[in-house]
Amino acid sequence: GNMFGSSKIYQRTTTRKRTISFSFVSNWFRSKPSIPQNQAAEHLEFKGTAPPASVLDCIKLYPNFITQDEHNALVAEVDPELKLRRYQAGHWDNVAKQYREIEKPTWTEANLAIFERAKTITETEKSKDWGKFIHVLDLKKEGEIGHHIDNTEAFGCTIAGISLLSESVMTMENKETGSIIELYLPPKSLYFISDEVRYNFGHAITHTPTFKGKPVNKDRRISLILRTRTKDKD
């Protein structure tokens, strides 16, 4: 028998040597990882005042950025640490409700490789100065994050996040212009918001989201958040 399982495909080859070499090339192409594609456009909904087209350059989404095994490994690493903390009814500034969080500097080698893959997914992201800590935010089913803009003195121009456990919707709103952008976040996806959207649009996650008129089944959700540093930060 043919160890490559492709004798029928390459029956016209005249020697076993050629059959194996063609099979090897075929298997290599099948196993070669595909280059991730930004699919934000298919996961966006616009409400209110239409935003300028330039904002689309500031939002990226990569569905299925991680495999199910990678997803499970990330959950398995953070869950024991999260369970040492109680869910908080409200944040001191009343932004987050029914949440718990940790800042995590150390990870297993395999999980650390996932974050490195995220930070180098494009040449643009690769050139940025990413912080060392990963912000782990755990929302209960009824948990939510109110409209806010991340601290501009503490963090730089880009925020990224890997979504775990359940689907959700991030609502981004420019209070001055009335533009509202909704980004559907499936589990295992990676998102980036940067520049104009990061600074001019606050973002929020409601506990009863909808997307394009349909309810979204948000349950407990863990997000692993990466942020770039400001130029004057170590």
Side-chain angles (χ1 to χ4, degrees), residues 78 82 87-88 91 95-104 107 134-140 143-146 148 150 161-165 170 191 203-205 218-227:
V78 299
L82 289 167
Y87 284 106
Q88 302 296 310
H91 194 258
V95 167
K97 297 177 181 177
Q98 297 299 328
Y99 77 101
R100 54 191 176 187
E101 62 185 341
I102 55 175
E103 293 281 340
K104 188 167 168 58
W107 297 80
I134 307 296
H135 180 196
V136 182
L137 180 60
D138 179 358
L139 288 179
K140 289 180 76 171
E144 61 182 9
I145 304 170
H148 71 287
D150 282 22
I162 298 173
S163 300
L164 306 177
L165 296 182
M170 179 184 289
Y191 73 82
H203 57 277
I205 290 184
K218 178 193 167 295
D219 208 304
R220 180 191 175 203
R221 174 180 183 265
I222 296 173
S223 54
L224 308 177
I225 304 164
L226 303 80
R227 297 178 176 93

Side-chain angles (χ1 to χ4, degrees), residues 18-108:
R18 285 183 67 193
T19 302
I20 291 176
S21 66
F22 285 152
S23 301
F24 176 81
V25 170
S26 174
N27 289 338
W28 181 83
F29 275 115
R30 280 200 297 268
S31 63
K32 191 168 186 260
S34 58
I35 299 171
Q37 298 295 312
N38 174 19
Q39 296 181 35
E42 300 95 88
H43 294 75
L44 289 174
E45 180 180 7
F46 299 97
K47 297 178 179 178
T49 306
S54 57
V55 305
L56 290 177
D57 297 328
C58 305
I59 304 171
K60 297 175 184 175
L61 182 78
Y62 300 90
N64 294 310
F65 171 72
I66 54 174
T67 65
Q68 190 62 48
D69 286 345
E70 289 173 326
H71 171 279
N72 295 345
L74 288 166
V75 173
E77 181 163 358
V78 299
D79 222 19
E81 295 182 48
L82 289 167
K83 286 180 176 177
L84 295 175
R85 299 168 178 260
R86 293 181 179 179
Y87 284 106
Q88 302 296 310
H91 194 258
W92 62 269
D93 58 8
N94 209 34
V95 167
K97 297 177 181 177
Q98 297 299 328
Y99 77 101
R100 54 191 176 187
E101 62 185 341
I102 55 175
E103 293 281 340
K104 188 167 168 58
T106 58
W107 297 80
T108 64

Side-chain angles (χ1 to χ4, degrees), residues 4-20:
F4 293 93
S6 53
S7 57
K8 291 183 179 179
I9 299 174
Y10 301 106
Q11 277 179 344
R12 286 181 293 175
T13 58
T14 56
T15 67
R16 180 175 174 81
K17 182 177 180 182
R18 285 183 67 193
T19 302
I20 291 176

